[in-house]
Amino acid sequence: MTIRLPRQVQWIIQKLKEQGFEAYAVGGCVRDSILGREPEDWDITTSAKPEEIKEIFRRTVDTGIAHGTVTVLAEKEGFEVTTYRIDGEYEDGRHPKEVWFTGMLAEDLKRRDFTINAMAYNDEDGLCDLFGGQEDLKQGVIRCVGEARERFTEDALRILRAVRFGAQLGFSMEEKTKEAAGALAGTLKKISAERIQNELVKLLVSPHPEELLTAWELGITKVILPEFDRMMETTQETPHHMYNVGVHTVEALKHIRADRILRLTMLFHDMGKPEYKTMDPDGTAHFKKHAIGSERITKEILRRLKFDNDTVRSVTRLVYYHDYRMPPDKRSVRRAVNRIGKELFPYYLEIRMADTLAQSAYRREEKIADIRGVEQCFYKILRDGECVSLKEMAVTGKDLIGAGIKPGPQMGEILNTLLEEVLEDPKKNQKAYLLERALNVYEEK
């Protein structure tokens, strides 16, 4: 087995070996290289202690010195170099109470989470695979190193990571690993929101977001996303649907491209349905105005999981408008773009399409034709340069002040009145006309 190491990684390994230390590329970069994937990061493990690493390399950063990690800067890139270590007892299901440095690679590898992440490589010694990681890669299996319960007890996040790796690689969990994950899923409550968020997003944008159902089966979502469990319990007795709300959500995730905002929106778009469900006497279900509840729940979850403000704003807005309909004519679409936002409108179109494809075949062709019609109108509006927002109008507040209109709330009302006219008829977006119209409105008020 030969792995092509980046030049900088070869240089770091060689420098360490010249000083009498062992050094290997380790972990995910080795796994991805064997799979023929491009590694995102290259990590190096070594028998050298942190202070010895810092003596060998001129440019370093103490990124995790207490746990033996030093970042070595090579050709303007940073590479994490970590001393072989043995982890002590994990008291909180997150961090080892103590860390001991060791001179043995085997001791370092056996503390790692999964066999596919516990392989090391350098050009001189080749592949070091003590736990059958290469075979598990061939078989498409996620298996813990050693005893699964021990690995998951050490760091509960590994339970979610097992599902995430399965989603990214298209692998299945080995039976004992799966049993332990289900038995210990409740310990995920010890994990910080930020770490949960990171793993959840990686799962969602993976090639197999349907692995969210594995997380549900194992009781993981009950801890980290109980709202999804409610969706899995909510049936949809309507000709428009053939799945319960949760399975429909997963199908929608599969039908939309792997963009972070899009996948998050599809995850949350129907979370209001359990709360808003009503039943007709004939047994037909309705979910009127569920988007209002979905928006509220989405904001609560995104805040709970410590998402940034931009993500919260974009996703909640798209969730609120995910079921918004308009006729496929330019006038109606201009108003819709004004409400949703020009930047988010292409996302809205993708969301409507994925939502439709995850429904039953009932009136599907009609729904798709409608979406395509709206899409054509939108891009024609863009090509024609038609105004869809205040910032695109031919006049500004400054122009109105120059025309003699006093600043204040009334000015905002006038600008919105002008925008309504321009949305109705984009040919009116002319400075001279709008200034004259503004003065007339001002005098009327």
Side-chain angles (χ1 to χ4, degrees):
M1 166 63 64
T2 300
I3 292 175
R4 188 173 179 179
L5 301 176
R7 183 177 62 257
Q8 303 98 313
V9 174
Q10 289 178 324
W11 175 74
I12 292 170
I13 290 174
Q14 189 58 38
K15 289 272 284 185
L16 288 163
K17 290 173 73 71
E18 286 173 359
Q19 298 300 315
F21 300 106
E22 295 178 6
Y24 298 83
V26 70
C29 59
V30 176
R31 175 198 70 224
D32 288 344
S33 296
I34 294 172
L35 290 171
R37 297 155 61 103
E38 186 70 30
E40 291 183 12
D41 302 295
W42 287 87
D43 295 329
I44 297 160
T45 189
T46 180
S47 57
K49 292 184 172 60
E51 59 271 19
E52 293 169 328
I53 297 168
K54 293 174 69 173
E55 285 178 11
I56 294 169
F57 299 99
R58 185 170 56 87
R59 299 166 63 226
T60 63
V61 179
D62 294 355
T63 43
I65 202 79
H67 292 90
T69 301
V70 175
T71 294
V72 174
L73 301 174
E75 298 181 15
K76 298 182 180 179
E77 283 191 66
F79 297 88
E80 288 193 355
V81 181
T82 303
T83 304
Y84 300 161
R85 76 184 205 208
I86 300 171
D87 292 341
E89 184 180 352
Y90 285 73
E91 290 188 324
D92 58 1
R94 293 178 292 174
H95 308 109
K97 183 179 177 183
E98 296 176 279
V99 168
W100 296 282
F101 299 138
T102 176
M104 299 176 64
L105 175 63
E107 291 292 333
D108 183 84
L109 294 180
K110 76 179 186 181
R111 71 175 176 82
R112 295 175 182 264
D113 52 7
F114 309 113
T115 60
I116 61 173
N117 296 333
M119 294 180 285
Y121 176 89
N122 66 30
D123 288 335
E124 186 175 333
D125 302 317
L127 183 69
C128 180
D129 177 15
L130 305 179
F131 306 103
Q134 194 172 6
E135 183 60 27
D136 284 344
L137 285 179
K138 289 178 183 176
Q139 298 296 325
V141 170
I142 305 294
R143 181 195 310 270
C144 282
V145 173
E147 289 294 323
R149 281 180 175 265
E150 286 184 26
R151 297 292 81 76
F152 290 147
T153 300
E154 290 166 352
D155 184 354
L157 188 67
R158 289 170 172 171
I159 297 166
L160 182 53
R161 279 167 61 84
V163 179
R164 186 259 289 182
F165 279 121
Q168 287 181 322
L169 301 173
F171 286 11
S172 58
M173 248 187 280
E174 176 264 340
E175 201 53 41
K176 288 184 178 179
T177 299
K178 192 170 186 177
E179 287 175 9
L184 296 171
T187 60
L188 278 162
K189 66 181 181 291
K190 301 176 182 179
I191 303 301
S192 71
E194 291 85 353
R195 295 180 79 202
I196 295 292
Q197 178 212 124
N198 185 48
E199 292 297 326
L200 179 61
V201 169
K202 286 179 179 178
L203 190 163
L204 290 175
V205 301
S206 75
H208 298 281
E210 66 272 16
E211 283 300 307
L212 188 63
L213 290 174
T214 299
W216 170 73
E217 290 167 6
L218 294 175
I220 293 170
T221 55
K222 185 177 180 180
V223 180
I224 69 168
L225 198 65
E227 297 84 355
F228 182 78
D229 288 51
R230 285 195 68 195
M231 292 199 294
M232 288 297 293
E233 296 162 2
T234 304
T235 53
Q236 302 191 94
E237 296 84 354
T238 161
H240 294 278
H241 286 280
M242 54 184 173
Y243 306 116
N244 68 37
V245 180
V247 175
H248 160 74
T249 294
V250 169
E251 289 299 312
L253 284 167
K254 289 162 60 178
H255 280 293
I256 206 157
R257 63 187 170 93
D259 172 90
R260 181 172 174 270
I261 296 298
L262 288 173
R263 289 272 171 95
L264 283 168
T265 301
M266 295 322 300
L267 173 63
F268 296 124
H269 78 286
D270 277 350
M271 282 209 169
K273 279 190 170 181
E275 179 183 342
Y276 281 70
K277 181 177 179 178
T278 60
M279 295 291 290
D280 282 348
D282 66 0
T284 301
H286 297 281
F287 304 92
K288 294 175 182 177
K289 298 185 178 180
H290 73 274
I292 297 171
S294 295
E295 181 201 30
R296 186 192 73 248
I297 294 167
T298 299
K299 187 174 290 186
E300 291 170 358
I301 296 171
L302 292 176
R303 294 294 186 203
R304 185 174 80 216
L305 293 179
K306 310 295 185 185
F307 278 87
D308 62 278
N309 290 334
D310 286 343
T311 298
V312 174
R313 278 191 292 269
S314 295
V315 174
T316 53
R317 192 168 189 81
L318 287 166
V319 166
Y320 182 79
Y321 284 108
H322 81 272
D323 205 30
Y324 184 67
R325 310 291 175 85
M326 79 289 304
D329 62 70
K330 288 179 71 180
R331 174 181 168 276
S332 301
V333 174
R334 280 193 300 272
R335 293 187 177 279
V337 175
N338 172 252
R339 288 188 177 193
I340 297 169
K342 185 191 284 188
E343 294 77 16
L344 290 179
F345 203 79
Y347 282 72
Y348 157 81
L349 292 169
E350 291 186 67
I351 288 159
R352 272 195 63 189
M353 184 62 75
D355 197 6
T356 299
L357 294 173
Q359 296 172 3
S360 70
Y362 177 68
R363 298 176 65 179
R364 179 179 289 172
E365 290 184 10
E366 176 187 335
K367 295 173 187 176
I368 291 174
D370 182 69
I371 296 166
R372 294 294 186 213
V374 171
E375 182 180 44
Q376 289 171 8
C377 288
F378 173 64
Y379 286 107
K380 192 168 191 315
I381 288 166
L382 294 186
R383 287 195 302 272
D384 293 344
E386 295 178 3
C387 173
V388 293
S389 65
L390 284 171
K391 67 180 180 181
E392 294 178 345
M393 279 208 308
V395 295
T396 64
K398 189 175 180 181
D399 293 323
L400 298 193
I401 292 171
I405 297 173
K406 293 180 181 179
Q410 192 175 11
M411 182 179 289
E413 294 174 9
I414 293 170
L415 284 169
N416 283 318
T417 298
L418 298 179
L419 178 61
E420 281 296 313
E421 292 194 18
V422 170
L423 290 173
E424 188 72 23
D425 182 0
K427 292 177 182 176
K428 290 183 177 180
N429 193 29
Q430 303 292 330
K431 188 170 186 177
Y433 169 81
L434 292 176
L435 283 175
E436 181 182 352
R437 185 77 183 95
L439 288 170
N440 290 337
V441 173
Y442 183 60
E443 289 170 3
E444 290 169 7
K445 291 182 179 290

